[in-house]
Amino acid sequence: MADNEAEGSAGETPEGAGPKSKLKLIIAVVAVLLIGGGGATWFFFFRHHGEEVHAEAPVAKPPSFVEVPDMLINLIGGPGERVQYLKVKVVLEVKEEKQAEAIKPSMPRVTDIFQTYLRELRPTDLNGSVGLFRLKEELTRRVNAVIAPIQVNAVLFKEIVVQ
């Protein structure tokens, strides 16, 4: 019996050492991978170089503005209604100063196209912010058609009064 116990304990050691050493090997490999992955992540994403030079964004030129002469227009009303007037001060926004200078000779044409359109409006067309937004969009579309190939970025209201 003593021989059997000696053989059993001797037989358990090689078999018992195998699974324990495999488990230790797996844990060691996982630890190395985690440490290596953490180091690689830090190296590629979090390390800051002292010598890096960031390219500066080009300085954006401020837009230029072109004043349109003030306009006083009578709005369309129904028969028997009192006459209502629209007073508008408008500015055109363009990208560059040279575009602003190119628009100035066409200013009588721009004023004419604005007045022709504005005379067709009813007071209800200008109600609320939606009415003013539509008016801006329509005036922008019309001025761009008149001064093509130059493009106006926006028509800006300095003053708008319905009386």
Side-chain angles (χ1 to χ4, degrees):
M1 231 177 175
D3 292 333
N4 287 342
E5 286 180 12
E7 286 178 29
S9 63
E12 287 178 10
T13 307
E15 290 176 10
K20 285 185 180 180
S21 65
K22 286 184 182 179
L23 181 64
K24 287 180 182 179
L25 180 64
I26 291 172
I27 290 173
V29 168
V30 169
V32 168
L33 288 176
L34 286 175
I35 291 171
T41 301
W42 174 82
F43 182 79
F44 288 114
F45 294 110
F46 299 112
R47 186 177 65 127
H48 298 288
H49 301 287
E51 301 171 4
E52 285 185 18
V53 178
H54 296 285
E56 293 183 21
V59 178
K61 294 180 183 177
S64 295
F65 300 97
V66 180
E67 296 274 337
V68 177
D70 298 352
M71 293 178 271
L72 182 64
I73 295 121
N74 57 328
L75 299 172
I76 293 178
E81 291 182 359
R82 70 179 180 95
V83 177
Q84 288 188 314
Y85 295 95
L86 172 67
K87 182 179 179 184
V88 180
K89 290 184 181 181
V90 177
V91 177
L92 306 177
E93 179 184 339
V94 292
K95 287 184 181 180
E96 299 176 348
E97 183 65 33
K98 67 179 184 177
Q99 290 178 333
E101 295 300 322
I103 291 174
K104 288 182 181 178
S106 301
M107 197 52 64
R109 195 175 295 264
V110 171
T111 304
D112 177 60
I113 199 75
F114 281 1
Q115 285 192 5
T116 304
Y117 175 70
L118 293 172
R119 287 187 182 278
E120 292 297 319
L121 294 177
R122 294 178 189 82
T124 56
D125 294 335
L126 301 172
N127 286 343
S129 61
V130 173
L132 291 179
F133 180 76
R134 286 183 190 148
L135 180 61
K136 281 176 114 175
E137 292 297 311
E138 187 63 29
L139 292 178
T140 303
R141 187 183 69 75
R142 288 175 182 264
V143 74
N144 281 332
V146 169
I147 63 168
I150 302 169
Q151 291 293 307
V152 170
N153 293 343
V155 172
L156 307 172
F157 293 124
K158 287 177 72 175
E159 181 181 346
I160 185 162
V161 177
V162 178
Q163 221 174 2

